[in-house]
Amino acid sequence: MKLLVVNKLLINRGWQVIDKTSRMYLLSPDSQLRTERLIVLPSQNSVPVPTGTLEAIMRRAGQVKSTQPWHQAITNKGALHLTTERTGDHLWGRLDINGLLLIVRSTDTTCLITQVREILAALLADTIGDSCQLVESLHIEACQDMTEVWDLLRQIRGSYLADNSGVDLALVNQFIGGTAFPSAEQTCKLQKSIRELGQHLLQLAG
């Protein structure tokens, strides 16, 4: 699902774009609630959002008011966890803390963390005097979301190979069970399907 569609879904759920730059969108149910409920998205509308990141956005969209404003929670945190998710040649990163979901996209973890620091400093500028110094003092630790990998691994069974190779499912199950063996043509089809699966897994694993 592309970011443009995600934006529309959020708006349909009562969120609104309260600020917009060439780099990001800021969305909140109400401009007065930006310190309590805020989603920050990259401005690349045509880019597909990876599975784990999309799920995080939808969870946040339905979340009720946080017990503590996110800017206060950040100042009380010793470390922040940036969840990364790979798709193609890019990494997505998300910081999920209290009412804030901050999402960035870049080519490597270092760039993601730099973006997060810059955006946090800008967001905190109105509420904290020296926001840059505070943000630079925060320890940001990266961890990886492997939702797409697990989803793909769940598909690795006879039906997946049958669908992708064009070989009958009953035959594939017999091959897996060792009660029958594929012909040369069937072997080529199955090997091609397995290679494509391996390439996909390597891409997701980064």
Side-chain angles (χ1 to χ4, degrees), residues 101-139:
L101 178 61
L102 168 57
I103 296 173
V104 290
R105 178 177 178 267
S106 191
T107 54
D108 58 63
T109 304
T110 301
C111 290
L112 291 179
I113 292 175
T114 299
Q115 285 189 45
V116 167
R117 291 190 190 279
E118 291 173 352
I119 294 172
L120 280 179
L123 293 176
L124 292 168
D126 293 335
T127 55
I128 296 176
D130 195 348
S131 60
C132 291
Q133 183 176 349
L134 169 66
V135 170
E136 286 301 320
S137 69
L138 293 172
H139 174 64

Side-chain angles (χ1 to χ4, degrees), residues 56-83:
I57 294 171
M58 293 299 102
R59 283 196 303 271
R60 176 47 53 87
Q63 189 178 37
V64 297
K65 179 180 175 181
S66 300
T67 56
Q68 182 185 33
W70 61 263
H71 66 280
Q72 292 180 9
I74 285 178
T75 59
N76 296 330
K77 286 276 186 182
L80 301 178
H81 295 283
L82 180 69
T83 305

Side-chain angles (χ1 to χ4, degrees), residues 1-204:
M1 185 181 295
K2 294 183 178 180
L3 267 172
L4 178 63
V5 179
V6 173
N7 271 322
K8 290 180 179 178
L9 283 176
L10 290 172
I11 291 170
N12 288 339
R13 291 192 176 199
W15 290 68
Q16 54 185 288
V17 177
I18 60 172
D19 201 357
K20 177 182 175 182
T21 69
S22 60
R23 184 178 183 180
M24 61 186 176
Y25 288 93
L26 272 63
L27 298 100
S28 179
D30 188 305
S31 59
Q32 303 302 314
L33 296 176
R34 62 185 297 160
T35 59
E36 297 175 6
R37 299 180 68 193
L38 184 67
I39 295 177
V40 182
L41 297 177
S43 60
Q44 300 107 321
N45 281 332
S46 61
V47 176
V49 181
T51 305
T53 302
L54 177 61
E55 290 177 355
I57 294 171
M58 293 299 102
R59 283 196 303 271
R60 176 47 53 87
Q63 189 178 37
V64 297
K65 179 180 175 181
S66 300
T67 56
Q68 182 185 33
W70 61 263
H71 66 280
Q72 292 180 9
I74 285 178
T75 59
N76 296 330
K77 286 276 186 182
L80 301 178
H81 295 283
L82 180 69
T83 305
T84 66
E85 187 172 15
R86 179 168 293 281
T87 173
D89 295 330
H90 282 78
L91 272 178
W92 290 69
R94 64 180 185 267
L95 182 68
D96 195 344
I97 177 170
N98 281 42
L100 172 68
L101 178 61
L102 168 57
I103 296 173
V104 290
R105 178 177 178 267
S106 191
T107 54
D108 58 63
T109 304
T110 301
C111 290
L112 291 179
I113 292 175
T114 299
Q115 285 189 45
V116 167
R117 291 190 190 279
E118 291 173 352
I119 294 172
L120 280 179
L123 293 176
L124 292 168
D126 293 335
T127 55
I128 296 176
D130 195 348
S131 60
C132 291
Q133 183 176 349
L134 169 66
V135 170
E136 286 301 320
S137 69
L138 293 172
H139 174 64
I140 300 178
E141 182 178 339
C143 55
Q144 188 167 359
D145 183 327
M146 297 182 67
T147 300
E148 291 196 10
V149 175
W150 306 139
D151 286 347
L152 189 58
L153 287 173
R154 279 192 285 269
Q155 298 177 43
I156 303 176
R157 50 181 183 261
S159 58
Y160 178 87
L161 292 175
D163 290 343
N164 284 272
S165 66
V167 178
D168 183 74
L169 175 59
L171 281 175
V172 171
N173 286 331
Q174 290 177 29
F175 300 154
I176 293 172
T179 58
F181 299 93
S183 66
E185 181 182 356
Q186 290 168 336
T187 298
C188 287
K189 290 180 178 179
L190 290 168
Q191 287 176 338
K192 181 175 182 291
S193 179
I194 292 169
R195 279 196 296 270
E196 290 173 353
L197 175 62
Q199 289 170 357
H200 194 179
L201 283 170
L202 283 172
Q203 185 182 53
L204 290 175

